[in-house]
Amino acid sequence: MESIFNFTEQQLQDDLVAKGFKKYLARQLYDWIYGKNIYSFDEMTNISKSDRDKLKTIYQINFFEIVTQQVSKDGTVKFLFKLPDGFKIETVLMRQSYGNSVCVTTQVGCNMGCGFCASGLLKKTRNLTTAEIVTQVVMVNNYLQASHERVSHLVVMGIGEPFDNFENVINFVNIVNEPKGYQIGARHITISTCGLVPKIIAFANLQTQVNLAISLHAPNDEIRNQLMPINKAFPIAKLMEAVKYYLAKTNRRVTFEYILINDVNDSIENAKELANLIKGMNAYVNLIPYNKVEENPYERSTHINEFFDTLQKHKINCIVRREFGHDIDAACGQLRAKNEGIIRR
C-alpha cells in the first residue's frame, strides 16, 4: 500500500477519483491528517464507513519507530528514526524565537563526501520517498501537540544532498506548503545544496518563493577541492554562474553557508577572498562554528570573530549562526553514525 503522505492535495484527488471516490474526499483527508492531526481512518467521522474501510486497503498512515530522542538544554530535540526497511535517519527540531524549525533528512546516507561532515561517513543507500520526508514533519508536529505548538519553518539540510533527490524534495515542499495542509509558507522553507549546478538551474526555473542556501565553505577551488569533492565536478566559477542565474531568474536572496574550520578556511585572507567572490550579489553569509567529529581531522575555528569582522568591513551581510544542541550529537549525521558504530561514543 502507498503512504497517504506521498500526495499533494491535487495528486490525492486525482488518485482518489481514479479509484472511484468523490474528489472532495481529498480535502476531507487533508483536513483530518494535517489540520486535526488524526492518523486513523476509523476516526475520520465525516467520511462514510464504506469509504473508510476501502481507504484502509489502499493507503497507509504509518509513523517511524523512534530509536533515540535526544533533548538539549536549549530545547533542541534530535530524533533518530528507523524506517520500515531498517535504515535510520535523523530529524532535528530547533526552537527559534520566531517559531519551531525542523531540519529534515532527504537520503539514507550521503555520497557527496564532504570531509568535515558526519553524514558522509555512511554512504548513500537510497533516496527517501516524498512520504518519508513528509513523515518526519508529521512526527515532529505530533511531538509538539502536547505543548499546543506546530512546526512553522523547515530547513532541508539534514542527511543527504537534497538536490540529488530533486523530484521527491520538490513534491515534499509542495505538500507541506498546501493551503489545506500544514500551510508552511514557501518563504519559511530553505533548501540547502552543496552545489549541484544543473539542479540549481532547474530550481531557479521553478521560480518558487522557497529559500536557497549554498554550502560553500571555501573561497577558492584549492580549499574547496580539499573539503568538498563535488567541487571537482562543479568548480566555484560554474557554481557562481548558476547562483547568478538563480538570482536573476527569481530576484530572491541566496544564503552562503560557510563552516569555519581552524587553519583551513578561516584566515583573514580567506575572508577577503570570500568577500571578493560574492560582492554585489543579493546574498548573505551564514558563518557556522564547526561541530567536531572525532573521525575527521578538523577543529573548530579560533578566528570566528576576526573572519566575521573582515566580511563586515567589506560590506558583506553576514551572521554567525546560533548553535543548537551543542550538548548533544549536534553535527549532521553524528547521532546516526554513532548508533551504527561508525563514530566512537
Side-chain angles (χ1 to χ4, degrees), residues 135-148:
T135 301
Q136 297 171 63
V137 183
V138 173
M139 290 190 68
V140 176
N141 255 331
N142 198 46
Y143 171 86
L144 288 169
Q145 265 193 280
S147 53
H148 306 288

Side-chain angles (χ1 to χ4, degrees), residues 69-97:
Q69 182 175 306
Q70 295 182 336
V71 182
S72 170
K73 293 174 184 176
D74 64 17
T76 300
V77 184
K78 192 163 195 177
F79 300 90
L80 183 66
F81 294 132
K82 187 176 182 180
L83 305 177
D85 59 8
F87 291 116
K88 295 165 189 168
I89 60 169
E90 293 179 6
T91 306
V92 184
L93 165 64
M94 298 167 287
R95 298 180 184 277
Q96 309 267 15
S97 59

Side-chain angles (χ1 to χ4, degrees), residues 270-285:
N270 294 152
K272 292 177 180 177
E273 279 186 277
L274 178 60
N276 288 331
L277 181 68
I278 66 173
K279 65 182 178 182
M281 290 186 184
N282 182 16
Y284 81 96
V285 178

